[in-house]
Amino acid sequence: MKLVIVESPAKAKTIAKYLGEGYVVDASKGHIRDLPEKEMGVDIDNHYKPVYKIRTKEQKETIARLKSKVDSAEKVYLATDPDREGEAISWHLQQTLKLKPEQCNRIMFNEISKSAVNKAIQSPASINMSLVNAQQARRVLDRLVGYTLSPVLCRKIQGKLSAGRVQSAALRIVVDRENEITSFVPEEYWNISAILEKRGDKPQFKSLLTGYKGKKLKITNKEQCDKVLSELHGNQYTVANVKKAVTYGKPLPPFTTSTLQQDAVNKLRMTSSNAMQIAQQLYEGLDVPSMGHVALITYIRTDSVRISAEAAASAREYLLQHYGQRYVPDTPNVYSSKKSAQDAHEAIRPINLELTPEMMKDKLQSGQYKLYKLIYQRFLASQSTKSQFDSVNVEIDCNGYTFSASGKTMIFDGYTAIYADNVKEDKTDKEDGDNVRLPALAVGDILNLIELKHEQKFTKPPVRYTEASLIKAMEERGIGRPSTYAATMFTLYKREYVIKDGKYLVPTELGKVVTDYLKEHFHDIVDVEFTAEMEDKLDSIEEDKAVWYDVVDEIYQPLKREVSAALNSSGLAVPDQPTDEVCEKCGAPMVIKSGRYGKYLACSNYPECCNRRSLNEKSQPKLTDEICEKCGAHMLEREGKFGKYLACSNYPECKNTRSLNEVVATCPLCGKPVAKRTTKRGKIFYGCSGYPDCTFASWDIPTGTLCPQCGKPLVYADKDNTTVKCSDKQCNYTHKITEK
């Protein structure tokens, strides 16, 4: 008997199907040991040696089960994920199960297909200690930063705070953008546009005033606008220049981890965490009716846009058969990965193009189908031909003033027949005269003026980040690695450093205070360039160009000195938060204050009145952008016996309230929002907003994903949302949420 050890039960099931008799496949369920939970677990004086422990009863049971199988196996293969984390898990298995390193039992594959798995079995290798050390350095470094800085924040600001090498840099990006928005001063400008018509030829079209006597023109006030309008009045509009060209649209490369998360957020309205959970299911494999257990996509943690020659050939053959020769480029499309990319794995793509999204639609859950369709179409489009357009740019003269208009007509759809371009996440105002439908125009044509329009405008501040744009910014600046983005977002929400306003990320007052404090006392931790350089150093460990504990020491020693200085300095206070509570002693408004042990209510009339009382977190009000329809004041978000509701901040003068159902997740069955609701007796439950078409409901908070073992919805198992479990009581699946 030959034993293959993987990470997850779902992956084990898929691989067992491909290997057949003579093999037993079992799962470690992630790490079987880790740094301890309630202590540092790092021997600083001994080259930062990590002290690993078997932390849970489940891990002990897993080790005992695997040891018994190892003892009776003629050969053991370690088939964990093909990245640093997977290499480290294999190393921990090797150490704990006492496997001999010289036996070469490490196997890897980029896709869980029969050919890839059997090919890997034929060429086992030794564990790559450079990869292990790179992961070990990251784990130790994050532990040192977190366990060193978090107590300082708790002591100097308030309790239950945390800092991290990646999360703090990401938070600073959000806070810096908010500061830009706050300090932004709008500048006035005016647009003038002309609705024109070619004599005897339609359609009418719009053109935008862009210049004067060969120079760009910017109108900044009404006086300038009136002057221009007077000089245009009564004059002739003549076509001065016409440029025609054939332009092309190039298909986007196949997905990396980052771009997959961005498109899932923008196009499917998923969270980055939800997208990665579903992608993991598609990669590891799931039970498909009439097909058995099957994996659908390649490995999901990658920063490369490279694909194999076999995958490219398969795509070209599929395009030829289903779309025709015009959709197959003369040579395969090749994309260049970024210089910072590790390029260890292929881009994310479907394993088998014959398993089309249409074929899988009734076999997958809604979220799984939507994400698979996105990955499938993006990959296929990346190997198709360019789209083609007839483009024309026209300049029109009127008394020395230049108006411009452009038009574009698609003459061949190319790759867009398969996959639409990225959604423009933050749409700016489309300027008049851009890409309008134009009549046939030639130099010297005289045009009729139908209408001359003018409009006052103001420059706009930069937009807030969304999950998608923050992930893009982190990738562009080299903060973290693809596998850390979703976990970073989860931490920012969990620590209440960031909240969502619609799709936009808004730093809380707490998030701002934490960032300001770290900037003052621990500049490197929130410095984006420093954090990116740290990622480069971790890469150098993987490439055998640096010793891992030297890299850790380079960061830790200055940090230790900064901690000592910070502890001797004054702290920062989180600004008081207004409420509609009234002090029962003096009648003044109560405010929420933040202390070392959390938040509490205190009288705003302090020190004349020292009244304070504990704050039930569930009733904590939050100021929103919603406006009271009765008095115009901002509304506060509160939570009462029957769930969350909005109450006017002008209480008691205005007592207006309205209900507010909190959206907690995406429905794992239909993809619509799941909201927090209450029964007639006031008991809280979570139900799909798609009711009655979708009847999903749960007493526990749903995660929006499905169990990898049985396919039923997953729910959170604890109040801190750190552990998930299957909603089916007959299924024993549980999973601890960890950064990977």
Side-chain angles (χ1 to χ4, degrees):
M1 181 268 290
K2 296 176 181 178
L3 174 65
V4 179
I5 303 176
V6 298
E7 288 161 296
S8 76
K11 189 175 176 182
K13 198 171 182 179
T14 310
I15 293 175
K17 172 185 173 182
Y18 295 140
L19 290 176
E21 293 183 7
Y23 289 88
V24 171
V25 187
D26 206 336
S28 68
K29 297 182 181 179
H31 281 280
I32 57 170
R33 64 179 187 179
D34 201 352
L35 297 176
E37 280 189 289
K38 297 182 179 180
E39 56 185 278
M40 180 75 79
V42 178
D43 188 349
I44 295 172
D45 298 325
N46 186 20
H47 292 311
Y48 300 94
K49 182 179 179 181
V51 181
Y52 295 112
K53 291 188 176 181
I54 301 168
R55 302 195 325 192
T56 67
K57 179 182 178 182
E58 184 181 18
Q59 286 176 333
K60 291 178 181 178
E61 292 172 349
T62 298
I63 292 170
R65 185 184 71 252
L66 292 176
K67 277 185 174 178
S68 67
K69 292 184 178 181
V70 167
D71 291 340
S72 58
E74 61 180 277
K75 178 72 176 179
V76 178
Y77 298 96
L78 302 175
T80 51
D81 285 348
D83 57 11
R84 291 175 184 169
E85 192 83 12
E87 203 73 14
I89 292 174
S90 280
W91 178 72
H92 286 299
L93 285 166
Q94 185 186 75
Q95 296 283 305
T96 306
L97 300 176
K98 297 184 173 18
L99 303 176
K100 296 179 180 179
E102 62 271 15
Q103 288 181 338
C104 296
N105 47 22
R106 176 73 168 117
I107 60 172
M108 290 187 290
F109 30 79
N110 184 58
E111 63 185 51
I112 306 178
S113 62
K114 186 171 184 178
S115 59
V117 170
N118 281 284
K119 183 178 179 181
I121 285 283
Q122 302 305 316
S123 54
S126 299
I127 287 176
N128 186 333
M129 287 307 299
S130 296
L131 284 176
V132 174
N133 287 333
Q135 188 275 342
Q136 203 159 226
R138 178 188 292 277
R139 187 75 181 93
V140 168
L141 190 56
D142 288 346
R143 173 58 64 99
L144 289 171
V145 171
Y147 271 57
T148 302
L149 282 189
S150 298
V152 178
L153 296 181
C154 293
R155 182 170 172 179
K156 294 296 182 177
I157 301 177
Q158 71 175 50
K160 299 181 180 179
L161 299 183
S162 72
R165 190 176 52 83
V166 175
Q167 78 174 61
S168 298
L171 176 59
R172 178 176 180 173
I173 294 176
V174 177
V175 172
D176 285 351
R177 175 60 58 87
E178 194 70 17
N179 291 337
E180 287 182 61
I181 295 170
T182 303
S183 61
F184 180 80
V185 179
E187 294 182 5
E188 180 183 6
Y189 70 99
W190 289 72
N191 275 351
I192 296 177
S193 58
I195 308 299
L196 301 169
E197 181 182 67
K198 183 181 178 181
R199 293 178 179 177
D201 193 1
K202 292 190 177 183
Q204 296 175 359
F205 64 95
K206 189 179 291 186
S207 60
L208 183 71
L209 178 62
T210 57
Y212 179 65
K213 291 186 176 180
K215 295 183 179 180
K216 288 185 178 180
L217 177 65
K218 184 177 182 182
I219 303 173
T220 58
N221 55 56
K222 189 176 187 303
E223 290 72 22
Q224 292 178 4
C225 180
D226 290 341
K227 179 177 180 294
V228 171
L229 290 173
S230 67
E231 293 179 357
L232 290 169
H233 182 71
N235 285 292
Q236 183 173 273
Y237 290 78
T238 306
V239 176
N241 191 16
V242 178
K243 291 182 179 179
K244 295 181 179 180
V246 176
T247 58
Y248 300 90
K250 185 178 180 182
L252 297 165
F255 281 129
T256 62
T257 305
S258 171
T259 54
L260 174 62
Q261 292 179 50
Q262 292 172 46
D263 254 25
V265 171
N266 285 334
K267 292 189 171 184
L268 304 182
R269 296 294 183 259
M270 292 181 176
T271 64
S272 56
S273 178
N274 193 18
M276 291 308 293
Q277 287 177 341
I278 295 174
Q280 185 77 24
Q281 295 166 7
L282 297 176
Y283 162 68
E284 292 182 344
L286 28 81
D287 289 311
V288 177
S290 75
M291 297 176 64
H293 206 78
V294 61
L296 295 174
I297 62 174
T298 56
Y299 191 53
I300 61 171
R301 294 183 180 88
T302 176
D303 53 12
S304 175
V305 292
R306 169 180 55 82
I307 62 169
S308 67
E310 293 81 5
S314 175
R316 291 171 64 81
E317 181 179 349
Y318 187 93
L319 288 166
L320 180 62
Q321 291 179 358
H322 294 82
Y323 289 86
Q325 185 64 56
R326 292 188 70 194
Y327 292 85
V328 184
D330 293 337
T331 58
N333 294 338
V334 177
Y335 301 90
S336 298
S337 297
K338 295 182 178 181
K339 291 182 179 179
S340 59
Q342 295 176 334
D343 201 38
H345 314 293
E346 284 188 66
I348 302 170
R349 60 170 175 81
I351 294 174
N352 183 357
L353 286 173
E354 296 303 320
L355 299 180
T356 65
E358 291 71 25
M359 181 187 299
M360 304 304 296
K361 186 173 184 178
D362 62 346
K363 299 177 174 62
L364 300 175
Q365 299 293 336
S366 175
Q368 295 169 343
Y369 162 71
K370 290 177 180 178
L371 196 66
Y372 180 61
K373 181 180 180 182
L374 200 69
I375 293 168
Y376 186 102
Q377 292 180 339
R378 172 78 168 236
F379 167 69
L380 194 61
S382 76
Q383 299 306 301
S384 188
T385 49
K386 299 175 182 178
S387 55
Q388 191 173 345
F389 303 86
D390 273 338
S391 299
V392 59
N393 293 288
V394 179
E395 291 183 352
I396 300 148
D397 178 76
C398 180
N399 195 23
Y401 288 94
T402 301
F403 286 78
S404 299
S406 63
K408 187 165 70 171
T409 304
M410 179 180 284
I411 55 179
F412 176 57
D413 54 5
Y415 76 94
T416 64
I418 306 165
Y419 182 85
D421 286 328
N422 270 350
V423 174
K424 295 290 185 184
E425 189 178 350
D426 298 313
K427 296 180 180 177
T428 56
D429 289 342
K430 183 179 179 181
E431 297 291 4
D432 294 338
D434 180 47
N435 290 338
V436 297
R437 185 176 170 221
L438 301 177
L441 297 173
V443 174
D445 283 349
I446 306 300
L447 305 175
N448 292 333
L449 175 65
I450 306 300
E451 184 181 3
L452 193 61
K453 296 182 176 181
H454 62 281
E455 181 182 13
Q456 182 190 34
K457 291 196 170 187
F458 293 90
T459 56
K460 295 180 179 180
V463 295
R464 287 168 170 155
Y465 285 101
T466 64
E467 272 200 29
S469 60
L470 180 58
I471 288 170
K472 184 178 181 181
M474 291 172 66
E475 181 185 37
E476 289 175 346
R477 302 184 193 192
I479 301 173
R481 280 290 177 252
S483 60
T484 67
Y485 299 148
T488 298
M489 295 305 312
F490 181 84
T491 302
L492 293 179
Y493 294 138
K494 181 181 177 183
R495 296 299 180 188
E496 297 183 355
Y497 293 157
V498 167
I499 59 173
K500 270 191 175 182
D501 179 9
K503 66 178 182 178
Y504 294 105
L505 305 180
V506 183
T508 61
E509 290 300 323
L510 177 60
K512 295 176 185 177
V513 169
V514 167
T515 297
D516 289 343
Y517 186 82
L518 291 174
K519 284 167 67 175
E520 180 180 354
H521 297 284
F522 304 95
H523 180 267
D524 285 350
I525 296 300
V526 289
D527 182 77
V528 172
E529 290 186 8
F530 177 85
T531 306
E533 289 172 2
M534 190 63 243
E535 293 295 341
D536 292 339
K537 290 178 180 178
L538 290 172
D539 291 344
S540 70
I541 297 169
E542 181 176 327
E543 296 163 3
D544 274 335
K545 295 178 180 177
V547 178
W548 76 266
Y549 48 76
D550 288 343
V551 172
V552 173
D553 189 66
E554 185 179 338
I555 306 301
Y556 180 69
Q557 291 303 325
L559 177 64
K560 188 167 66 171
R561 293 191 291 270
E562 290 170 346
V563 167
S564 179
L567 290 173
N568 293 319
S569 67
S570 58
L572 291 178
V574 180
D576 296 341
Q577 187 176 342
T579 76
D580 56 358
E581 296 280 340
V582 177
C583 176
E584 62 271 23
K585 292 186 178 180
C586 73
M590 299 290 278
V591 295
I592 297 174
K593 288 184 173 289
S594 299
R596 183 176 178 183
Y597 300 104
K599 297 179 180 180
Y600 60 94
L601 279 171
C603 182
S604 60
N605 197 26
Y606 179 86
E608 284 73 18
C609 177
C610 298
N611 183 31
R612 64 170 62 185
R613 62 177 183 264
S614 63
L615 174 69
N616 181 348
E617 290 293 331
K618 289 186 177 180
S619 65
Q620 177 184 329
K622 297 178 181 177
L623 193 65
T624 73
D625 290 332
E626 295 283 336
I627 300 298
C628 176
E629 60 270 25
K630 291 187 177 181
C631 73
H634 280 279
M635 300 289 279
L636 293 168
E637 182 183 305
R638 303 201 52 152
E639 186 168 356
K641 181 179 180 182
F642 299 104
K644 290 196 174 182
Y645 65 96
L646 291 174
C648 183
S649 60
N650 197 26
Y651 180 88
E653 284 74 18
C654 179
K655 298 180 180 180
N656 183 33
T657 63
R658 63 175 183 263
S659 63
L660 178 67
N661 285 327
E662 176 192 9
V663 174
V664 297
T666 300
C667 179
L669 302 183
C670 73
K672 292 184 178 179
V674 172
K676 188 175 183 180
R677 302 178 182 275
T678 54
T679 66
K680 291 182 179 180
R681 295 185 178 181
K683 190 173 180 181
I684 294 173
F685 71 100
Y686 305 90
C688 180
S689 60
Y691 181 85
D693 295 329
C694 178
T695 57
F696 173 78
S698 169
W699 295 114
D700 298 307
I701 300 176
T703 68
T705 56
L706 300 172
C707 176
Q709 289 187 181
C710 71
K712 297 294 179 61
L714 289 174
V715 296
Y716 288 107
D718 56 13
K719 62 180 181 180
D720 294 325
N721 293 352
T722 59
T723 304
V724 298
K725 66 178 181 180
C726 183
S727 57
D728 188 343
K729 294 182 180 179
Q730 303 301 317
C731 178
N732 61 359
Y733 177 80
T734 61
H735 175 64
K736 188 80 171 178
I737 298 175
T738 57
E739 289 195 10
K740 189 169 183 182

